[in-house]
C-alpha cells in the first residue's frame, strides 16, 4: 500500500516498502539499474451485458514481482519468441515481432485464449480439451516454443488482431525491470478467458469503471500502468470502439521519476499526476543541501 502526498494511505496504490531505500541508494550511486527486459501484456476485451469489459487477473501474493496486484495477462519475451534487440530501444515507435509473439503466447498461457488461425484471416474457435491443455502447459514450462507449437498445429499467429495501446518501463530503482508494450485485443468468438495461470489466484471480467472503483476503495491493488490503461478505456462503450480508438493513443514510453527533498522521496510518473506519492523521510539520513535533486529522469 502506498501513501499520498499528505502521508495517509492511498487506497489500492502500488508502493513496495523497499522503494524508498532503493531510490536513495540509486541517488548515492550505490545501485546500478537492472536492464529492462522486453515484455508484453494484453488488455483482453469483450462486450458484456452492460457494455465493455476487460479481463483482469490477481497475481498471487507469493509472486516476486507485483504479488497481490491486479493486472492483465502478460510477461517477458522468451528468446525463442524472436530477436529482442529492437524492443530494448526506447526510441522504437512500434513493437518488433518478438514482443507481438510474446503477447500472443502469454495470452494463451495465462488466459487460455489463442489468437491464431489456419490462414491469415482465420481464428481457432475452440482451444479446450486435454490436447490443447497439454500444449499450454508445455509452453508455460518452456518445454515447447510458441513457434513450434504453431507449426505443429499448422496455425498462423494473428498479431494483426493486437492494437498497440501504451508503453511503460519499470522505474530504474526496481529490482526487476520490464519495458512493457500494452496491447488491446478482442476475445475471439467461441473462446473464453479463464484462470489458466499458476501465477494468479483469481480472474474476473470487469467494466473499466467497476475495476477502477475497486481500486479507489482499496479492494484491488494495482500498479500505475494498470490504472492508467483502465482510465483510457473509460470513454469506450464497445470493444470495436476501443480498438478503433487505439490508433490515437500516445505510445511514448512512461517511466517514473524520483526526487529527494531532505531525504523525503517524491515519486511521480510524467503525464500522470494522480500517481505522485511521497515516502516519509528517515531522520538519521540527510541529503545535506535540502534542495530537490533528481535521482533519474527519462
Amino acid at each position: 500500500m502506498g501513501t499520498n502526498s499528505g502521508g495517509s494511505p492511498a487506497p489500492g496504490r502500488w508502493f513496495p516498502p523497499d522503494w524508498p531505500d532503493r531510490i536513495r541508494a540509486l541517488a548515492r550511486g550505490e545501485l546500478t539499474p537492472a536492464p529492462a527486459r522486453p515484455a508484453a501484456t494484453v488488455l483482453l476485451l469483450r462486450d458484456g451485458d452492460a457494455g465493455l469489459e476487460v479481463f483482469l487477473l490477481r497475481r498471487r501474493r507469493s509472486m516476486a514481482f507485483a504479488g497481490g496486484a491486479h493486472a492483465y495477462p502478460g510477461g517477458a519475451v522468451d528468446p525463442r519468441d524472436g530477436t529482442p534487440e529492437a524492443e530494448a530501444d526506447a526510441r522504437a515507435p512500434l513493437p518488433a515481432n518478438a514482443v507481438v509473439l510474446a503477447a500472443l503466447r502469454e495470452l494463451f498461457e495465462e488466459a487460455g485464449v489463442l489468437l491464431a488461425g489456419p490462414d491469415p484471416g482465420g481464428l481457432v474457435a475452440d482451444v479446450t480439451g486435454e490436447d490443447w491443455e497439454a500444449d499450454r502447459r508445455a509452453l508455460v514450462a518452456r518445454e515447447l516454443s510458441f513457434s513450434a507449437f504453431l507449426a505443429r498445429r499448422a496455425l498462423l499467429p494473428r498479431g494483426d488482431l493486437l492494437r498497440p495501446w501504451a508503453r511503460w518501463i519499470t522505474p530504474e530503482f526496481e529490482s526487476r525491470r520490464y519495458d512493457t508494450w500494452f496491447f488491446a485485443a478482442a476475445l475471439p468468438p467461441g473462446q473464453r478467458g479463464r484462470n489458466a495461470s499458476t501465477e494468479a489466484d483469481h480472474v474476473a471480467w470487469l467494466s473499466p469503471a467497476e475495476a477502477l472503483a475497486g481500486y479507489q476503495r482499496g479492494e484491488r491493488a494495482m500498479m500505475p500502468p494498470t490504472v492508467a490503461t483502465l482510465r483510457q478505456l473509460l470513454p469506450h462503450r464497445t470493444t470495436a470502439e476501443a480498438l478503433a480508438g487505439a490508433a490515437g493513443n500516445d505510445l511514448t514510453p512512461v517511466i517514473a521519476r524520483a526526487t529527494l527533498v531532505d531525504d523525503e522521496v517524491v515519486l511521480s510518473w510524467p503525464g500522470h499526476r494522480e500517481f505522485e506519492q511521497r515516502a516519509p523521510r528517515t531522520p538519521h539520513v540527510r541529503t545535506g543541501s535540502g534542495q530537490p535533486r533528481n535521482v533519474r529522469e527519462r
Side-chain angles (χ1 to χ4, degrees):
M1 188 70 69
T3 58
N4 59 26
S5 59
S8 58
R13 290 192 181 177
W14 185 257
F15 196 88
D18 65 338
W19 271 11
D21 287 341
R22 293 185 64 84
I23 289 170
R24 294 180 181 106
L26 185 65
R28 295 191 298 267
E30 299 170 358
L31 180 68
T32 301
R37 298 178 60 190
T41 192
V42 181
L43 286 69
L44 185 63
L45 308 175
R46 75 176 186 184
D47 294 326
D49 294 337
L52 179 67
E53 295 179 337
V54 61
F55 184 83
L56 284 168
L57 53 83
R58 184 177 64 198
R59 293 174 60 81
R60 294 185 184 276
R61 296 189 181 278
S62 59
M63 295 300 297
F65 182 81
H70 286 73
Y72 312 113
V77 168
D78 184 318
R80 297 175 298 176
D81 291 328
T83 304
E85 286 84 354
E87 292 86 276
D89 185 351
R91 299 166 298 178
L94 289 172
N97 191 51
V99 169
V100 172
L101 291 176
L104 299 178
R105 174 180 51 76
E106 289 284 346
L107 187 60
F108 183 51
E109 288 181 5
E110 297 196 341
V113 171
L114 182 62
L115 298 182
D119 54 67
L123 273 173
V124 176
D126 185 5
V127 291
T128 61
E130 181 51 38
D131 59 332
W132 287 101
E133 184 61 16
D135 280 349
R136 193 197 63 78
R137 289 195 297 264
L139 285 168
V140 172
R142 300 297 180 262
E143 297 167 355
L144 178 67
S145 71
F146 192 56
S147 58
F149 159 71
L150 294 174
R152 190 167 70 190
R153 290 184 173 270
L155 296 174
L156 297 175
R158 293 295 308 276
D160 59 300
L161 298 178
L162 297 174
R163 298 291 184 271
W165 190 264
R167 187 179 180 188
W168 288 66
I169 300 176
T170 310
E172 292 183 323
F173 47 81
E174 265 278 37
S175 57
R176 289 176 172 82
R177 301 187 63 229
Y178 301 94
D179 179 351
T180 305
W181 282 89
F182 288 71
F183 297 94
L187 177 69
Q191 297 191 41
R192 62 182 182 86
R194 61 187 177 88
N195 186 5
S197 173
T198 58
E199 298 179 358
D201 58 14
H202 177 76
V203 299
W205 285 98
L206 300 171
S207 72
E210 184 180 2
L212 288 167
Y215 161 75
Q216 294 289 356
R217 293 192 299 266
E219 298 169 359
R220 297 187 183 96
M222 294 181 187
M223 293 179 289
T226 309
V227 177
T229 49
L230 283 170
R231 293 205 190 285
Q232 288 178 294
L233 287 173
L234 286 174
H236 304 298
R237 296 166 296 176
T238 66
T239 297
E241 190 177 300
L243 296 180
N249 288 354
D250 184 1
L251 299 179
T252 303
V254 179
I255 186 170
R257 179 173 62 204
T259 303
L260 295 179
V261 182
D262 283 339
D263 199 46
E264 182 181 48
V265 172
V266 181
L267 184 60
S268 62
W269 279 259
H272 300 270
R273 188 174 180 181
E274 70 167 299
F275 301 127
E276 180 176 306
Q277 298 185 55
R278 295 171 181 262
R281 62 175 55 85
T282 52
H284 61 284
V285 179
R286 304 286 292 181
T287 62
S289 66
Q291 296 300 312
R293 62 188 165 101
N294 290 333
V295 177
R296 291 278 173 163
E297 187 171 345
R298 286 175 63 174

